[in-house]
Amino acid sequence: NMKTKKPTGYIFYQGASMIDGSPIVGIATVSSSNGKTGNMIQTWIIPDNDLTPQENVKKGSDSSVCGDCEHRPIKKGEIPNFNPCYVLVFQAPNAVYKKYKRGGYSYNPEAVSELARDIFIRIGAWGNGSAIPKYVWDGLLKYSKGHTGYDHNWQDRLGRFDPAMMEISMASVETVVQYREAKRLGYRTFRVKAPHEPVLPTEIVCPASEEAGRKVTCSDCRLCGGSSVKAKDIVINAHGRGAKKNKFKGIEIRQAAN
């Protein structure tokens, strides 16, 4: 009586990117040892080609899942005080991609929504949720305890963005100018700021952040669920890779430029 190993994840989308039409794959994996987020289903939005996530990032073909995000490594020469994406693509995204290429995940969106009955879903542990059609997410989220979603693609610089995504995702903003623009479009925002910058009256500090004393994990907080959550906008001090080095200077320069 050999025990069958429980699947560690499933494919929930295979098809065209809503950003640029290139083939992409959405994979959900279970388990998380992330102290900030707590236990949740992580979703990975990966270019479905013969390149690893790392190679896609180098080449710039990560645009199918990352849109025109200013943290893509390919943007390094364009943006003053460039701050790279905090996702280390050679780690988890690469491992998920390799397992996918070996045939390690079966296509089963229903299994993902069932798994989410008592836990929390993270939209886009790598990649923008808006690369995948909104109805796919709705199916995944229908029984879930809650979710988080952050989208850099809300500014629609590549011409394809479904505003309905903002029911379930926060607009990622990094300057007050971006904040105002996102508010004008009717979105709830998640803003990254320098520690000395003020919190706006319409914002609250992320309760899972270091500066708020890590009161809760994301899976208990659940405020970053887009406009479907009735709450203030969320703000956090720059954190993660590159924050100490150049983030604050970068933010100030961009604030001044705006």
Side-chain angles (χ1 to χ4, degrees), residues 50-70:
D50 291 328
L51 305 175
T52 65
Q54 224 179 331
E55 290 165 334
N56 276 296
V57 162
K58 274 205 184 95
K59 219 181 114 179
S61 42
D62 57 344
S63 57
S64 62
V65 299
C66 296
D68 197 28
C69 177
E70 57 192 44

Side-chain angles (χ1 to χ4, degrees), residues 210-233:
E210 200 177 328
E211 59 269 28
R214 297 208 167 97
K215 289 199 272 281
V216 290
T217 60
C218 297
S219 58
D220 290 327
C221 171
R222 310 207 278 280
L223 287 180
C224 287
S227 60
S228 59
V229 177
K230 300 296 166 234
K232 283 187 161 188
D233 297 312

Side-chain angles (χ1 to χ4, degrees), residues 27-249:
I27 295 167
T29 59
V30 191
S31 85
S32 168
S33 53
N34 184 324
K36 180 179 182 292
T37 58
N39 186 33
M40 56 166 71
I41 290 172
Q42 309 271 2
T43 60
W44 309 91
I45 304 158
I46 298 175
D48 193 3
N49 53 29
D50 291 328
L51 305 175
T52 65
Q54 224 179 331
E55 290 165 334
N56 276 296
V57 162
K58 274 205 184 95
K59 219 181 114 179
S61 42
D62 57 344
S63 57
S64 62
V65 299
C66 296
D68 197 28
C69 177
E70 57 192 44
H71 301 295
R72 292 165 59 219
I74 198 121
K75 297 269 186 186
K76 194 171 181 176
E78 291 174 35
I79 292 172
N81 291 286
F82 171 76
N83 187 46
C85 174
Y86 65 88
V87 180
L88 303 169
V89 282
F90 58 88
Q91 290 178 349
N94 238 18
V96 170
Y97 168 81
K98 286 189 164 142
K99 184 167 178 175
Y100 165 63
K101 281 298 194 192
R102 290 196 305 270
Y105 301 109
S106 61
Y107 176 80
N108 197 339
E110 289 74 24
V112 182
S113 18
E114 278 302 324
L115 279 172
R117 270 186 191 274
D118 306 311
I119 57 177
F120 185 79
I121 295 184
R122 182 181 180 189
I123 295 177
W126 183 52
N128 273 301
S130 57
I132 287 176
K134 165 94 169 19
Y135 75 86
V136 175
W137 294 114
D138 290 339
L140 253 49
L141 298 171
K142 62 183 173 209
Y143 310 125
S144 80
K145 175 179 148 184
H147 70 277
T148 53
Y150 307 92
D151 219 291
H152 269 95
N153 203 38
W154 62 272
Q155 293 178 79
D156 194 13
R157 285 160 299 210
L158 293 179
R160 296 173 76 168
F161 180 74
D162 178 2
M165 272 306 290
M166 284 306 160
E167 288 167 20
I168 57 172
S169 286
M170 309 293 280
S172 274
V173 301
E174 281 163 358
T175 63
V176 175
V177 169
Q178 285 178 359
Y179 171 82
R180 289 195 191 115
E181 176 60 12
K183 295 315 288 173
R184 189 182 67 76
L185 294 168
Y187 303 150
R188 278 185 70 226
T189 59
F190 182 86
R191 184 169 72 97
V192 178
K193 70 173 188 67
H196 63 270
E197 279 188 275
V199 172
L200 303 172
T202 44
E203 294 175 324
I204 56 166
V205 174
C206 163
S209 66
E210 200 177 328
E211 59 269 28
R214 297 208 167 97
K215 289 199 272 281
V216 290
T217 60
C218 297
S219 58
D220 290 327
C221 171
R222 310 207 278 280
L223 287 180
C224 287
S227 60
S228 59
V229 177
K230 300 296 166 234
K232 283 187 161 188
D233 297 312
I234 310 297
V235 66
I236 194 168
N237 286 347
H239 54 288
R241 180 163 78 141
K244 298 285 179 283
K245 200 168 74 246
N246 58 19
K247 181 82 191 191
F248 308 142
K249 209 164 64 193

